[in-house]
Amino acid sequence: MIDDILRLEKPDFKSLVETRILLELKTARLAALRRTEEDLKNIEEALNAYSTKVLNDEDAIQEDLLFHLAIAKASHNSTMNTFMLIITPEIITNFEKYHVCKPDMAINAIKEHEAIVNAIKMKNPSLAKEKMKEHFSVLYQYCYET
């Protein structure tokens, strides 16, 4: 049914980004409340994979996606996780097309990802949400200032 609803009207890129922001703020918050040690391990592994690729000057778009999906999974909300699985790949593949993120931002994103992980590790939902919001500052600018 959800697939049918999403097929009714092809969402524009900005709509997908706005939806992703809303979902990810909530999944970060829920992950901080509900994460297990296994979830934390998966998030940290995804962060390490992302960091390794970035520091080796390799494309890390897929690893970035996997990091955010690990957080969504740790929220233990299967519907939000499914929505993330549906919309995030489409967004990430269009980042370059719409010139949302610049390549030099990846190094800074490592620190932002680490801050999100630390908030989730501390089980601090408001901090996790705030750190995710800071991480998405460029997306906010894209959605609301263009």
Side-chain angles (χ1 to χ4, degrees), residues 2 6-7 9 13 16 20 23 31 53 58-59 63 69 71 76 81 104 111 122:
I2 291 171
L6 289 174
R7 275 192 224 113
E9 182 180 329
F13 183 65
L16 287 171
R20 179 184 178 196
L23 283 172
K53 284 255 181 141
E58 298 175 45
D59 184 321
E63 287 72 19
L69 291 176
I71 292 171
H76 292 274
N81 190 43
D104 61 336
K111 291 181 179 111
M122 293 186 302

PDB file of all heavy atoms in Angstrom, residues 2 6-7 9 13 16 20 23 31 53 58-59 63 69 71 76 81 104 111 122:
ATOM      1  N   ILE A   2       1.928   1.268   0.819  1.00  0.00           N
ATOM      2  CA  ILE A   2       2.814   2.433   0.871  1.00  0.00           C
ATOM      3  C   ILE A   2       3.464   2.663  -0.484  1.00  0.00           C
ATOM      4  O   ILE A   2       3.555   3.802  -0.958  1.00  0.00           O
ATOM      5  CB  ILE A   2       3.872   2.261   1.984  1.00  0.00           C
ATOM      6  CG1 ILE A   2       3.192   2.329   3.338  1.00  0.00           C
ATOM      7  CG2 ILE A   2       4.974   3.300   1.873  1.00  0.00           C
ATOM      8  CD1 ILE A   2       4.073   1.956   4.503  1.00  0.00           C
ATOM      9  N   LEU A   6       3.257   6.065  -2.736  1.00  0.00           N
ATOM     10  CA  LEU A   6       4.445   6.778  -3.213  1.00  0.00           C
ATOM     11  C   LEU A   6       4.484   6.878  -4.732  1.00  0.00           C
ATOM     12  O   LEU A   6       5.052   7.807  -5.286  1.00  0.00           O
ATOM     13  CB  LEU A   6       5.715   6.099  -2.697  1.00  0.00           C
ATOM     14  CG  LEU A   6       5.973   6.267  -1.203  1.00  0.00           C
ATOM     15  CD1 LEU A   6       7.168   5.431  -0.772  1.00  0.00           C
ATOM     16  CD2 LEU A   6       6.210   7.722  -0.849  1.00  0.00           C
ATOM     17  N   ARG A   7       3.862   5.911  -5.412  1.00  0.00           N
ATOM     18  CA  ARG A   7       3.836   5.948  -6.878  1.00  0.00           C
ATOM     19  C   ARG A   7       2.785   6.899  -7.428  1.00  0.00           C
ATOM     20  O   ARG A   7       2.801   7.216  -8.605  1.00  0.00           O
ATOM     21  CB  ARG A   7       3.574   4.547  -7.434  1.00  0.00           C
ATOM     22  CG  ARG A   7       4.829   3.739  -7.550  1.00  0.00           C
ATOM     23  CD  ARG A   7       4.592   2.478  -8.360  1.00  0.00           C
ATOM     24  NE  ARG A   7       5.252   1.403  -7.663  1.00  0.00           N
ATOM     25  CZ  ARG A   7       4.656   0.374  -7.065  1.00  0.00           C
ATOM     26  NH1 ARG A   7       3.352   0.240  -7.113  1.00  0.00           N
ATOM     27  NH2 ARG A   7       5.345  -0.528  -6.444  1.00  0.00           N
ATOM     28  N   GLU A   9       2.352  10.067  -7.047  1.00  0.00           N
ATOM     29  CA  GLU A   9       2.966  11.288  -7.540  1.00  0.00           C
ATOM     30  C   GLU A   9       4.456  11.198  -7.266  1.00  0.00           C
ATOM     31  O   GLU A   9       4.879  10.976  -6.142  1.00  0.00           O
ATOM     32  CB  GLU A   9       2.383  12.501  -6.804  1.00  0.00           C
ATOM     33  CG  GLU A   9       2.932  13.805  -7.301  1.00  0.00           C
ATOM     34  CD  GLU A   9       2.344  14.990  -6.544  1.00  0.00           C
ATOM     35  OE1 GLU A   9       1.188  14.911  -6.108  1.00  0.00           O
ATOM     36  OE2 GLU A   9       3.060  15.979  -6.401  1.00  0.00           O
ATOM     37  N   PHE A  13      12.756  16.353  -5.639  1.00  0.00           N
ATOM     38  CA  PHE A  13      13.934  16.145  -4.800  1.00  0.00           C
ATOM     39  C   PHE A  13      13.830  16.880  -3.471  1.00  0.00           C
ATOM     40  O   PHE A  13      14.118  16.319  -2.414  1.00  0.00           O
ATOM     41  CB  PHE A  13      15.186  16.564  -5.569  1.00  0.00           C
ATOM     42  CG  PHE A  13      16.454  16.315  -4.822  1.00  0.00           C
ATOM     43  CD1 PHE A  13      16.861  15.029  -4.520  1.00  0.00           C
ATOM     44  CD2 PHE A  13      17.244  17.369  -4.411  1.00  0.00           C
ATOM     45  CE1 PHE A  13      18.033  14.791  -3.825  1.00  0.00           C
ATOM     46  CE2 PHE A  13      18.419  17.141  -3.713  1.00  0.00           C
ATOM     47  CZ  PHE A  13      18.817  15.845  -3.420  1.00  0.00           C
ATOM     48  N   LEU A  16      11.632  15.045  -1.055  1.00  0.00           N
ATOM     49  CA  LEU A  16      12.306  13.880  -0.493  1.00  0.00           C
ATOM     50  C   LEU A  16      13.287  14.287   0.604  1.00  0.00           C
ATOM     51  O   LEU A  16      13.371  13.652   1.652  1.00  0.00           O
ATOM     52  CB  LEU A  16      13.053  13.111  -1.590  1.00  0.00           C
ATOM     53  CG  LEU A  16      12.194  12.313  -2.564  1.00  0.00           C
ATOM     54  CD1 LEU A  16      13.041  11.797  -3.711  1.00  0.00           C
ATOM     55  CD2 LEU A  16      11.495  11.173  -1.853  1.00  0.00           C
ATOM     56  N   ARG A  20      13.228  13.286   4.464  1.00  0.00           N
ATOM     57  CA  ARG A  20      14.378  12.630   5.086  1.00  0.00           C
ATOM     58  C   ARG A  20      14.787  13.356   6.374  1.00  0.00           C
ATOM     59  O   ARG A  20      15.057  12.716   7.389  1.00  0.00           O
ATOM     60  CB  ARG A  20      15.559  12.593   4.125  1.00  0.00           C
ATOM     61  CG  ARG A  20      16.767  11.931   4.765  1.00  0.00           C
ATOM     62  CD  ARG A  20      17.977  11.953   3.887  1.00  0.00           C
ATOM     63  NE  ARG A  20      19.095  11.345   4.616  1.00  0.00           N
ATOM     64  CZ  ARG A  20      20.343  11.460   4.279  1.00  0.00           C
ATOM     65  NH1 ARG A  20      20.681  12.156   3.213  1.00  0.00           N
ATOM     66  NH2 ARG A  20      21.291  10.898   4.989  1.00  0.00           N
ATOM     67  N   LEU A  23      12.348  12.455   9.126  1.00  0.00           N
ATOM     68  CA  LEU A  23      12.526  11.074   9.558  1.00  0.00           C
ATOM     69  C   LEU A  23      13.805  10.894  10.368  1.00  0.00           C
ATOM     70  O   LEU A  23      13.806  10.232  11.403  1.00  0.00           O
ATOM     71  CB  LEU A  23      12.560  10.136   8.342  1.00  0.00           C
ATOM     72  CG  LEU A  23      11.234   9.804   7.689  1.00  0.00           C
ATOM     73  CD1 LEU A  23      11.461   9.032   6.401  1.00  0.00           C
ATOM     74  CD2 LEU A  23      10.355   8.994   8.638  1.00  0.00           C
ATOM     75  N   ALA A  31      16.657   6.181  18.324  1.00  0.00           N
ATOM     76  CA  ALA A  31      17.831   5.311  18.450  1.00  0.00           C
ATOM     77  C   ALA A  31      18.516   5.547  19.792  1.00  0.00           C
ATOM     78  O   ALA A  31      18.972   4.593  20.437  1.00  0.00           O
ATOM     79  CB  ALA A  31      18.799   5.543  17.296  1.00  0.00           C
ATOM     80  N   LYS A  53      36.774   5.307   4.043  1.00  0.00           N
ATOM     81  CA  LYS A  53      36.653   5.704   2.636  1.00  0.00           C
ATOM     82  C   LYS A  53      36.968   7.183   2.455  1.00  0.00           C
ATOM     83  O   LYS A  53      37.702   7.568   1.550  1.00  0.00           O
ATOM     84  CB  LYS A  53      35.251   5.396   2.109  1.00  0.00           C
ATOM     85  CG  LYS A  53      35.014   3.939   1.826  1.00  0.00           C
ATOM     86  CD  LYS A  53      35.025   3.717   0.341  1.00  0.00           C
ATOM     87  CE  LYS A  53      34.758   2.270   0.028  1.00  0.00           C
ATOM     88  NZ  LYS A  53      33.915   2.105  -1.119  1.00  0.00           N
ATOM     89  N   GLU A  58      38.183   8.347  -1.135  1.00  0.00           N
ATOM     90  CA  GLU A  58      37.328   7.515  -1.982  1.00  0.00           C
ATOM     91  C   GLU A  58      35.879   7.977  -1.833  1.00  0.00           C
ATOM     92  O   GLU A  58      35.513   8.597  -0.842  1.00  0.00           O
ATOM     93  CB  GLU A  58      37.438   6.043  -1.566  1.00  0.00           C
ATOM     94  CG  GLU A  58      38.821   5.453  -1.711  1.00  0.00           C
ATOM     95  CD  GLU A  58      38.892   4.034  -1.164  1.00  0.00           C
ATOM     96  OE1 GLU A  58      37.970   3.231  -1.455  1.00  0.00           O
ATOM     97  OE2 GLU A  58      39.855   3.729  -0.442  1.00  0.00           O
ATOM     98  N   ASP A  59      35.069   7.635  -2.806  1.00  0.00           N
ATOM     99  CA  ASP A  59      33.642   7.944  -2.755  1.00  0.00           C
ATOM    100  C   ASP A  59      33.023   7.168  -1.591  1.00  0.00           C
ATOM    101  O   ASP A  59      33.186   5.948  -1.497  1.00  0.00           O
ATOM    102  CB  ASP A  59      32.977   7.536  -4.073  1.00  0.00           C
ATOM    103  CG  ASP A  59      31.516   7.903  -4.132  1.00  0.00           C
ATOM    104  OD1 ASP A  59      30.812   7.771  -3.123  1.00  0.00           O
ATOM    105  OD2 ASP A  59      31.073   8.337  -5.207  1.00  0.00           O
ATOM    106  N   GLU A  63      28.530   4.316   1.965  1.00  0.00           N
ATOM    107  CA  GLU A  63      28.809   4.166   3.389  1.00  0.00           C
ATOM    108  C   GLU A  63      28.036   5.187   4.223  1.00  0.00           C
ATOM    109  O   GLU A  63      27.603   4.878   5.333  1.00  0.00           O
ATOM    110  CB  GLU A  63      30.316   4.279   3.642  1.00  0.00           C
ATOM    111  CG  GLU A  63      31.115   3.078   3.185  1.00  0.00           C
ATOM    112  CD  GLU A  63      31.246   2.950   1.670  1.00  0.00           C
ATOM    113  OE1 GLU A  63      31.032   3.960   0.946  1.00  0.00           O
ATOM    114  OE2 GLU A  63      31.548   1.844   1.198  1.00  0.00           O
ATOM    115  N   LEU A  69      21.159   4.504   7.680  1.00  0.00           N
ATOM    116  CA  LEU A  69      20.222   3.390   7.772  1.00  0.00           C
ATOM    117  C   LEU A  69      20.437   2.587   9.053  1.00  0.00           C
ATOM    118  O   LEU A  69      19.473   2.067   9.625  1.00  0.00           O
ATOM    119  CB  LEU A  69      20.327   2.492   6.538  1.00  0.00           C
ATOM    120  CG  LEU A  69      19.820   3.122   5.240  1.00  0.00           C
ATOM    121  CD1 LEU A  69      20.068   2.173   4.060  1.00  0.00           C
ATOM    122  CD2 LEU A  69      18.345   3.495   5.329  1.00  0.00           C
ATOM    123  N   ILE A  71      21.266   3.851  11.894  1.00  0.00           N
ATOM    124  CA  ILE A  71      20.575   4.633  12.933  1.00  0.00           C
ATOM    125  C   ILE A  71      19.068   4.404  12.843  1.00  0.00           C
ATOM    126  O   ILE A  71      18.401   4.204  13.857  1.00  0.00           O
ATOM    127  CB  ILE A  71      20.923   6.128  12.819  1.00  0.00           C
ATOM    128  CG1 ILE A  71      22.393   6.345  13.180  1.00  0.00           C
ATOM    129  CG2 ILE A  71      20.006   6.981  13.717  1.00  0.00           C
ATOM    130  CD1 ILE A  71      22.912   7.741  12.912  1.00  0.00           C
ATOM    131  N   HIS A  76      14.238   1.092  16.091  1.00  0.00           N
ATOM    132  CA  HIS A  76      13.288   0.007  16.335  1.00  0.00           C
ATOM    133  C   HIS A  76      11.853   0.415  15.994  1.00  0.00           C
ATOM    134  O   HIS A  76      10.899   0.024  16.669  1.00  0.00           O
ATOM    135  CB  HIS A  76      13.419  -0.530  17.769  1.00  0.00           C
ATOM    136  CG  HIS A  76      14.711  -1.238  17.978  1.00  0.00           C
ATOM    137  ND1 HIS A  76      14.909  -2.561  17.679  1.00  0.00           N
ATOM    138  CD2 HIS A  76      15.918  -0.773  18.400  1.00  0.00           C
ATOM    139  CE1 HIS A  76      16.164  -2.894  17.935  1.00  0.00           C
ATOM    140  NE2 HIS A  76      16.802  -1.810  18.367  1.00  0.00           N
ATOM    141  N   ASN A  81      11.965   2.898   9.475  1.00  0.00           N
ATOM    142  CA  ASN A  81      13.089   2.237   8.819  1.00  0.00           C
ATOM    143  C   ASN A  81      12.758   1.946   7.354  1.00  0.00           C
ATOM    144  O   ASN A  81      13.578   2.191   6.465  1.00  0.00           O
ATOM    145  CB  ASN A  81      13.447   0.950   9.571  1.00  0.00           C
ATOM    146  CG  ASN A  81      14.727   0.341   9.095  1.00  0.00           C
ATOM    147  OD1 ASN A  81      15.716   1.030   8.872  1.00  0.00           O
ATOM    148  ND2 ASN A  81      14.733  -0.961   8.939  1.00  0.00           N
ATOM    149  N   ASP A 104      34.276  18.402  -0.454  1.00  0.00           N
ATOM    150  CA  ASP A 104      35.127  18.691   0.703  1.00  0.00           C
ATOM    151  C   ASP A 104      34.367  18.630   2.040  1.00  0.00           C
ATOM    152  O   ASP A 104      34.967  18.764   3.099  1.00  0.00           O
ATOM    153  CB  ASP A 104      35.795  20.053   0.536  1.00  0.00           C
ATOM    154  CG  ASP A 104      34.806  21.202   0.439  1.00  0.00           C
ATOM    155  OD1 ASP A 104      33.646  20.966   0.056  1.00  0.00           O
ATOM    156  OD2 ASP A 104      35.198  22.340   0.731  1.00  0.00           O
ATOM    157  N   LYS A 111      33.203  14.117  11.703  1.00  0.00           N
ATOM    158  CA  LYS A 111      33.033  14.676  13.056  1.00  0.00           C
ATOM    159  C   LYS A 111      31.554  14.765  13.433  1.00  0.00           C
ATOM    160  O   LYS A 111      31.174  14.499  14.574  1.00  0.00           O
ATOM    161  CB  LYS A 111      33.689  16.048  13.137  1.00  0.00           C
ATOM    162  CG  LYS A 111      35.202  16.002  13.056  1.00  0.00           C
ATOM    163  CD  LYS A 111      35.787  17.397  13.170  1.00  0.00           C
ATOM    164  CE  LYS A 111      37.296  17.318  13.100  1.00  0.00           C
ATOM    165  NZ  LYS A 111      37.865  17.861  11.916  1.00  0.00           N
ATOM    166  N   MET A 122      25.329   7.743  24.563  1.00  0.00           N
ATOM    167  CA  MET A 122      24.993   8.273  25.888  1.00  0.00           C
ATOM    168  C   MET A 122      23.503   8.155  26.205  1.00  0.00           C
ATOM    169  O   MET A 122      23.066   8.540  27.289  1.00  0.00           O
ATOM    170  CB  MET A 122      25.404   9.749  25.993  1.00  0.00           C
ATOM    171  CG  MET A 122      26.885   9.971  25.966  1.00  0.00           C
ATOM    172  SD  MET A 122      27.358  11.707  26.260  1.00  0.00           S
ATOM    173  CE  MET A 122      26.502  12.595  24.968  1.00  0.00           C
TER     174      MET A 122
END
